[in-house]
Amino acid sequence: IFAMPILLPLYCWLLGIHPFKQIDLITPAYPLALFFMKLGCFCSGCCRGMSCPFGLINYEYQKVEFPTQLLEAAIALFLFFFLHTYRKKAKEGTLLPTYIVLYCSIRFCSEFLRNEAAVWGPLKVYHILCLIGILSGLVQLVILKKYRQKIESLFTHDLPSLVFKKEKVKNNRKTTS
């Protein structure tokens, strides 16, 4: 999941495919995968919520905890449906940065409902990571807005045909000799 934003553009560049359509096509799969991961977290008991008077009992620790995993699973499912419908209206290539900003913003807020130690004031490690994610998503949106044409021109080569032409030339030399 984490390597896909890097590997998919590389794959598109190697094949000479326009990357924005491919990235927009696969982006809704991220929150759908996250939905199932959060259900797995709930079933295994990891990613514990904070203790509270209402919620679900964690039998391993004998505490009533807020079901953070289920909340995040529901939010991930909502993000999946939102991105799936927004994909038709969004400008090509903006869906992944939009998802990054939305997910990191939501995760920043839901992180307060978790039972983890703070590392910097009231902030936990994931708060800092979410702030970095929000910043990177916003930077990506700005870069796409300013440099869309230059980015698209990077993918307008015909590398596969150049490779196959070289192979055909080698095969022709072998058959003529």
Side-chain angles (χ1 to χ4, degrees), residues 28 45-47 77-78 99 115 147 149 172:
C46 66
C47 307
L77 196 59
F78 169 77
Y99 169 64
N115 190 17
Y147 302 107
Q149 297 298 327
N172 286 340

Side-chain angles (χ1 to χ4, degrees), residues 41-128:
C41 284
F42 177 73
C43 291
S44 70
C46 66
C47 307
R48 297 177 42 216
M50 63 182 206
S51 296
C52 65
F54 58 91
L56 300 174
I57 189 162
N58 185 330
Y59 288 103
E60 185 175 338
Y61 298 97
Q62 296 302 315
K63 291 182 179 179
V64 176
E65 297 175 342
F66 184 81
T68 308
Q69 312 95 323
L70 294 180
L71 174 67
E72 288 183 349
I75 290 170
L77 196 59
F78 169 77
L79 282 174
F80 166 73
F81 288 117
F82 171 76
L83 290 173
H84 185 66
T85 56
Y86 181 66
R87 183 177 61 186
K88 297 170 185 129
K89 298 176 188 174
K91 196 165 188 174
E92 278 186 0
T94 61
L95 206 60
L96 183 60
T98 302
Y99 169 64
I100 292 170
V101 170
L102 287 173
Y103 174 70
C104 288
S105 300
I106 291 167
R107 177 68 188 256
F108 183 87
C109 296
S110 71
E111 196 62 28
F112 288 109
L113 302 173
R114 292 180 178 274
N115 190 17
E116 294 177 11
V119 293
W120 189 40
L123 300 181
K124 301 169 187 165
V125 172
Y126 276 102
H127 282 120
I128 296 165

Side-chain angles (χ1 to χ4, degrees), residues 100 104 108 125-140:
I100 292 170
C104 288
F108 183 87
V125 172
Y126 276 102
H127 282 120
I128 296 165
L129 292 174
C130 287
L131 291 173
I132 292 169
I134 292 168
L135 182 64
S136 81
L138 292 173
V139 166
Q140 289 176 38

Side-chain angles (χ1 to χ4, degrees), residues 10-24:
L10 179 63
Y11 171 79
C12 291
W13 179 80
L14 287 172
L15 295 181
I17 299 171
H18 193 275
F20 296 145
K21 287 182 182 180
Q22 300 301 317
I23 292 171
D24 286 350

